[in-house]
Amino acid sequence: NNNIYPLKIRTTPLKKGEFVYAVGWGYQQTSNFPSVIRMKTYKNLGNYYYVLTETKNVNPAGRSGSPVIDSNGYLVGIVSGQEGNMGVIGGIPYLTKMFDKYGIKYNNPSH
């Protein structure tokens, strides 16, 4: 299928207040299409980010592992969980560590 392509990885960190989007399905979602959840970056923790969910009436259960992209469509991490009212995104440093560990090739300019 020529309409499918891998996401490019963003190499710069997210900034506080930047909007990102999780794309995927939750446990209780009945739609045939993935939902898009808008989130706002709250804090950069190096390997992880705290985010505030901007999309209303969303059940976060079951979204772990969903890709998170920036407004330009670059991969910035994956949904990793929640702590209190904050969502947690595993950032690119975490992902590249896992890619390297398992020998997965990606578009890192140093490789």
Short mmCIF file of all heavy atoms in Angstrom, two decimals, residues 14 20 22 39-53 60 63-68 76-91 94:
data_model
loop_
_atom_site.label_atom_id
_atom_site.label_comp_id
_atom_site.label_asym_id
_atom_site.label_seq_id
_atom_site.Cartn_x
_atom_site.Cartn_y
_atom_site.Cartn_z
N LEU A 14 10.10 18.16 23.30
CA LEU A 14 8.88 18.96 23.38
C LEU A 14 9.08 20.11 24.36
O LEU A 14 9.85 19.99 25.31
CB LEU A 14 7.71 18.09 23.86
CG LEU A 14 7.25 16.99 22.92
CD1 LEU A 14 6.24 16.09 23.63
CD2 LEU A 14 6.66 17.58 21.67
N VAL A 20 0.31 17.98 21.52
CA VAL A 20 0.63 16.71 20.88
C VAL A 20 -0.66 15.89 20.80
O VAL A 20 -1.65 16.23 21.45
CB VAL A 20 1.73 15.94 21.64
CG1 VAL A 20 3.05 16.69 21.58
CG2 VAL A 20 1.34 15.68 23.08
N ALA A 22 -2.34 11.87 20.67
CA ALA A 22 -2.27 10.41 20.76
C ALA A 22 -3.29 9.84 19.79
O ALA A 22 -4.44 10.31 19.74
CB ALA A 22 -2.56 9.95 22.18
N MET A 39 -3.39 16.66 23.63
CA MET A 39 -2.77 16.83 24.94
C MET A 39 -1.81 18.02 24.90
O MET A 39 -1.28 18.34 23.85
CB MET A 39 -2.01 15.56 25.33
CG MET A 39 -2.90 14.33 25.39
SD MET A 39 -1.99 12.80 25.67
CE MET A 39 -1.15 12.63 24.11
N LYS A 40 -1.60 18.60 26.05
CA LYS A 40 -0.70 19.76 26.17
C LYS A 40 0.46 19.36 27.08
O LYS A 40 0.25 18.87 28.19
CB LYS A 40 -1.48 20.92 26.77
CG LYS A 40 -0.73 22.22 26.82
CD LYS A 40 -1.67 23.30 27.33
CE LYS A 40 -1.04 24.65 27.34
NZ LYS A 40 -2.00 25.65 27.84
N THR A 41 1.67 19.56 26.59
CA THR A 41 2.86 19.21 27.36
C THR A 41 2.96 20.07 28.61
O THR A 41 2.86 21.29 28.54
CB THR A 41 4.13 19.39 26.50
OG1 THR A 41 3.97 18.66 25.28
CG2 THR A 41 5.36 18.89 27.22
N TYR A 42 3.16 19.40 29.73
CA TYR A 42 3.25 20.10 31.02
C TYR A 42 4.68 20.14 31.54
O TYR A 42 5.16 21.16 31.98
CB TYR A 42 2.33 19.44 32.04
CG TYR A 42 2.36 20.10 33.38
CD1 TYR A 42 1.71 21.31 33.59
CD2 TYR A 42 3.04 19.52 34.44
CE1 TYR A 42 1.75 21.93 34.82
CE2 TYR A 42 3.08 20.14 35.67
CZ TYR A 42 2.44 21.34 35.86
OH TYR A 42 2.48 21.95 37.08
N LYS A 43 5.37 18.99 31.47
CA LYS A 43 6.73 18.94 32.04
C LYS A 43 7.57 17.89 31.32
O LYS A 43 7.11 16.79 31.04
CB LYS A 43 6.64 18.60 33.53
CG LYS A 43 7.96 18.70 34.25
CD LYS A 43 7.77 18.57 35.75
CE LYS A 43 9.09 18.85 36.44
NZ LYS A 43 8.94 18.82 37.89
N ASN A 44 8.82 18.26 31.02
CA ASN A 44 9.78 17.36 30.39
C ASN A 44 10.60 16.71 31.51
O ASN A 44 11.29 17.41 32.26
CB ASN A 44 10.69 18.15 29.45
CG ASN A 44 11.72 17.29 28.76
OD1 ASN A 44 12.02 16.17 29.18
ND2 ASN A 44 12.29 17.81 27.69
N LEU A 45 10.55 15.37 31.59
CA LEU A 45 11.31 14.64 32.61
C LEU A 45 12.47 13.86 31.99
O LEU A 45 12.96 12.91 32.57
CB LEU A 45 10.38 13.68 33.36
CG LEU A 45 9.22 14.35 34.09
CD1 LEU A 45 8.24 13.30 34.61
CD2 LEU A 45 9.72 15.22 35.21
N GLY A 46 12.89 14.26 30.80
CA GLY A 46 13.99 13.56 30.12
C GLY A 46 13.46 12.42 29.27
O GLY A 46 13.19 12.59 28.10
N ASN A 47 13.31 11.24 29.87
CA ASN A 47 12.78 10.09 29.14
C ASN A 47 11.26 10.13 29.02
O ASN A 47 10.69 9.39 28.24
CB ASN A 47 13.19 8.78 29.80
CG ASN A 47 14.65 8.45 29.56
OD1 ASN A 47 15.23 8.86 28.58
ND2 ASN A 47 15.24 7.69 30.47
N TYR A 48 10.63 10.93 29.85
CA TYR A 48 9.17 10.99 29.90
C TYR A 48 8.68 12.42 29.90
O TYR A 48 9.42 13.34 30.25
CB TYR A 48 8.64 10.30 31.17
CG TYR A 48 8.96 8.83 31.20
CD1 TYR A 48 10.11 8.36 31.81
CD2 TYR A 48 8.11 7.91 30.60
CE1 TYR A 48 10.41 7.01 31.83
CE2 TYR A 48 8.40 6.56 30.61
CZ TYR A 48 9.55 6.11 31.24
OH TYR A 48 9.84 4.79 31.23
N TYR A 49 7.41 12.59 29.52
CA TYR A 49 6.74 13.88 29.59
C TYR A 49 5.44 13.72 30.37
O TYR A 49 4.76 12.69 30.23
CB TYR A 49 6.35 14.39 28.19
CG TYR A 49 7.50 14.74 27.31
CD1 TYR A 49 7.97 13.84 26.36
CD2 TYR A 49 8.13 15.97 27.41
CE1 TYR A 49 9.03 14.16 25.54
CE2 TYR A 49 9.19 16.30 26.58
CZ TYR A 49 9.64 15.39 25.66
OH TYR A 49 10.68 15.71 24.84
N TYR A 50 5.11 14.72 31.16
CA TYR A 50 3.77 14.82 31.72
C TYR A 50 2.95 15.68 30.78
O TYR A 50 3.44 16.70 30.27
CB TYR A 50 3.78 15.48 33.10
CG TYR A 50 4.17 14.57 34.24
CD1 TYR A 50 4.85 15.07 35.33
CD2 TYR A 50 3.84 13.21 34.23
CE1 TYR A 50 5.20 14.26 36.40
CE2 TYR A 50 4.20 12.39 35.29
CZ TYR A 50 4.88 12.92 36.37
OH TYR A 50 5.22 12.10 37.41
N VAL A 51 1.70 15.26 30.55
CA VAL A 51 0.80 16.01 29.67
C VAL A 51 -0.56 16.14 30.33
O VAL A 51 -0.95 15.33 31.17
CB VAL A 51 0.63 15.33 28.29
CG1 VAL A 51 1.93 15.36 27.51
CG2 VAL A 51 0.13 13.91 28.42
N LEU A 52 -1.27 17.19 29.94
CA LEU A 52 -2.66 17.39 30.35
C LEU A 52 -3.54 17.11 29.15
O LEU A 52 -3.29 17.62 28.06
CB LEU A 52 -2.87 18.84 30.82
CG LEU A 52 -2.07 19.24 32.06
CD1 LEU A 52 -2.10 20.74 32.24
CD2 LEU A 52 -2.62 18.54 33.28
N THR A 53 -4.57 16.29 29.34
CA THR A 53 -5.47 15.96 28.23
C THR A 53 -6.43 17.11 27.99
O THR A 53 -7.10 17.57 28.89
CB THR A 53 -6.25 14.67 28.54
OG1 THR A 53 -5.31 13.61 28.75
CG2 THR A 53 -7.18 14.30 27.40
N PRO A 60 -9.11 7.19 29.34
CA PRO A 60 -7.74 6.88 28.93
C PRO A 60 -7.39 5.39 28.97
O PRO A 60 -6.38 4.99 28.41
CB PRO A 60 -6.89 7.66 29.92
CG PRO A 60 -7.74 7.76 31.14
CD PRO A 60 -9.16 7.85 30.63
N ARG A 63 -5.11 2.88 26.25
CA ARG A 63 -4.41 3.63 25.21
C ARG A 63 -2.89 3.50 25.31
O ARG A 63 -2.17 4.02 24.46
CB ARG A 63 -4.80 5.09 25.26
CG ARG A 63 -6.27 5.29 24.97
CD ARG A 63 -6.66 6.74 24.90
NE ARG A 63 -8.10 6.87 24.84
CZ ARG A 63 -8.84 6.68 23.74
NH1 ARG A 63 -8.26 6.38 22.62
NH2 ARG A 63 -10.14 6.82 23.79
N SER A 64 -2.40 2.81 26.31
CA SER A 64 -0.95 2.65 26.45
C SER A 64 -0.37 2.02 25.20
O SER A 64 -0.92 1.08 24.64
CB SER A 64 -0.63 1.77 27.66
OG SER A 64 -1.00 2.42 28.84
N GLY A 65 0.76 2.57 24.76
CA GLY A 65 1.42 2.11 23.55
C GLY A 65 1.01 2.84 22.30
O GLY A 65 1.62 2.66 21.25
N SER A 66 -0.03 3.68 22.40
CA SER A 66 -0.45 4.46 21.23
C SER A 66 0.62 5.48 20.87
O SER A 66 1.23 6.08 21.74
CB SER A 66 -1.75 5.21 21.52
OG SER A 66 -2.81 4.33 21.74
N PRO A 67 0.86 5.69 19.57
CA PRO A 67 1.84 6.70 19.18
C PRO A 67 1.35 8.10 19.52
O PRO A 67 0.16 8.38 19.48
CB PRO A 67 1.97 6.51 17.67
CG PRO A 67 0.70 5.85 17.25
CD PRO A 67 0.24 5.04 18.41
N VAL A 68 2.29 8.96 19.86
CA VAL A 68 2.00 10.37 20.12
C VAL A 68 2.80 11.18 19.09
O VAL A 68 4.01 10.99 18.96
CB VAL A 68 2.39 10.78 21.55
CG1 VAL A 68 2.10 12.25 21.79
CG2 VAL A 68 1.64 9.91 22.57
N VAL A 76 6.74 11.65 18.69
CA VAL A 76 7.43 12.23 19.85
C VAL A 76 7.45 11.28 21.03
O VAL A 76 8.12 11.54 22.02
CB VAL A 76 6.80 13.59 20.27
CG1 VAL A 76 6.97 14.62 19.17
CG2 VAL A 76 5.34 13.45 20.66
N GLY A 77 6.72 10.16 20.94
CA GLY A 77 6.70 9.20 22.03
C GLY A 77 5.51 8.27 21.93
O GLY A 77 4.85 8.20 20.90
N ILE A 78 5.26 7.55 23.04
CA ILE A 78 4.11 6.66 23.13
C ILE A 78 3.39 6.92 24.45
O ILE A 78 4.01 7.33 25.44
CB ILE A 78 4.50 5.17 23.02
CG1 ILE A 78 5.47 4.79 24.14
CG2 ILE A 78 5.07 4.85 21.67
CD1 ILE A 78 5.72 3.30 24.26
N VAL A 79 2.09 6.68 24.45
CA VAL A 79 1.32 6.80 25.68
C VAL A 79 1.83 5.72 26.63
O VAL A 79 1.88 4.54 26.27
CB VAL A 79 -0.19 6.62 25.43
CG1 VAL A 79 -0.96 6.59 26.73
CG2 VAL A 79 -0.72 7.71 24.51
N SER A 80 2.22 6.12 27.83
CA SER A 80 2.80 5.18 28.78
C SER A 80 1.96 4.96 30.02
O SER A 80 2.18 4.02 30.76
CB SER A 80 4.20 5.65 29.21
OG SER A 80 5.05 5.66 28.10
N GLY A 81 1.01 5.86 30.31
CA GLY A 81 0.19 5.69 31.49
C GLY A 81 -0.33 7.01 32.01
O GLY A 81 -0.40 8.00 31.29
N GLN A 82 -0.65 6.99 33.30
CA GLN A 82 -1.20 8.18 33.93
C GLN A 82 -0.77 8.21 35.39
O GLN A 82 -0.68 7.17 36.04
CB GLN A 82 -2.73 8.16 33.83
CG GLN A 82 -3.36 9.44 34.30
CD GLN A 82 -4.80 9.55 33.83
OE1 GLN A 82 -5.21 8.93 32.86
NE2 GLN A 82 -5.56 10.35 34.53
N GLU A 83 -0.47 9.41 35.89
CA GLU A 83 -0.18 9.63 37.30
C GLU A 83 -1.08 10.75 37.77
O GLU A 83 -0.90 11.90 37.37
CB GLU A 83 1.29 10.01 37.50
CG GLU A 83 2.24 8.85 37.26
CD GLU A 83 3.67 9.20 37.62
OE1 GLU A 83 3.89 10.10 38.45
OE2 GLU A 83 4.57 8.58 37.05
N GLY A 84 -2.09 10.42 38.57
CA GLY A 84 -3.06 11.42 39.00
C GLY A 84 -3.81 11.96 37.81
O GLY A 84 -4.31 11.20 36.99
N ASN A 85 -3.83 13.27 37.66
CA ASN A 85 -4.51 13.91 36.54
C ASN A 85 -3.60 14.09 35.32
O ASN A 85 -4.03 14.63 34.32
CB ASN A 85 -5.05 15.29 36.95
CG ASN A 85 -6.19 15.15 37.93
OD1 ASN A 85 -6.90 14.15 37.94
ND2 ASN A 85 -6.35 16.15 38.78
N MET A 86 -2.36 13.67 35.43
CA MET A 86 -1.39 13.85 34.35
C MET A 86 -1.24 12.57 33.53
O MET A 86 -1.10 11.48 34.08
CB MET A 86 -0.01 14.20 34.91
CG MET A 86 0.05 15.47 35.65
SD MET A 86 0.10 16.82 34.50
CE MET A 86 0.27 18.16 35.61
N GLY A 87 -1.23 12.73 32.20
CA GLY A 87 -0.88 11.63 31.33
C GLY A 87 0.63 11.54 31.26
O GLY A 87 1.34 12.53 31.48
N VAL A 88 1.15 10.36 30.97
CA VAL A 88 2.59 10.16 30.87
C VAL A 88 2.92 9.62 29.48
O VAL A 88 2.33 8.65 29.02
CB VAL A 88 3.10 9.17 31.94
CG1 VAL A 88 4.60 8.98 31.82
CG2 VAL A 88 2.72 9.64 33.34
N ILE A 89 3.86 10.29 28.81
CA ILE A 89 4.33 9.88 27.49
C ILE A 89 5.78 9.43 27.63
O ILE A 89 6.61 10.17 28.18
CB ILE A 89 4.27 11.06 26.49
CG1 ILE A 89 2.83 11.50 26.27
CG2 ILE A 89 4.94 10.69 25.18
CD1 ILE A 89 2.73 12.77 25.45
N GLY A 90 6.07 8.24 27.14
CA GLY A 90 7.46 7.80 27.04
C GLY A 90 8.05 8.51 25.84
O GLY A 90 7.57 8.34 24.72
N GLY A 91 9.07 9.34 26.05
CA GLY A 91 9.63 10.16 24.99
C GLY A 91 10.61 9.43 24.09
O GLY A 91 10.89 8.24 24.25
N TYR A 94 13.60 7.38 25.53
CA TYR A 94 13.18 6.04 25.98
C TYR A 94 13.01 5.11 24.77
O TYR A 94 13.49 3.98 24.77
CB TYR A 94 11.87 6.14 26.76
CG TYR A 94 11.22 4.81 26.99
CD1 TYR A 94 11.71 3.96 27.99
CD2 TYR A 94 10.14 4.39 26.22
CE1 TYR A 94 11.13 2.71 28.20
CE2 TYR A 94 9.57 3.14 26.43
CZ TYR A 94 10.05 2.31 27.41
OH TYR A 94 9.48 1.09 27.61
#
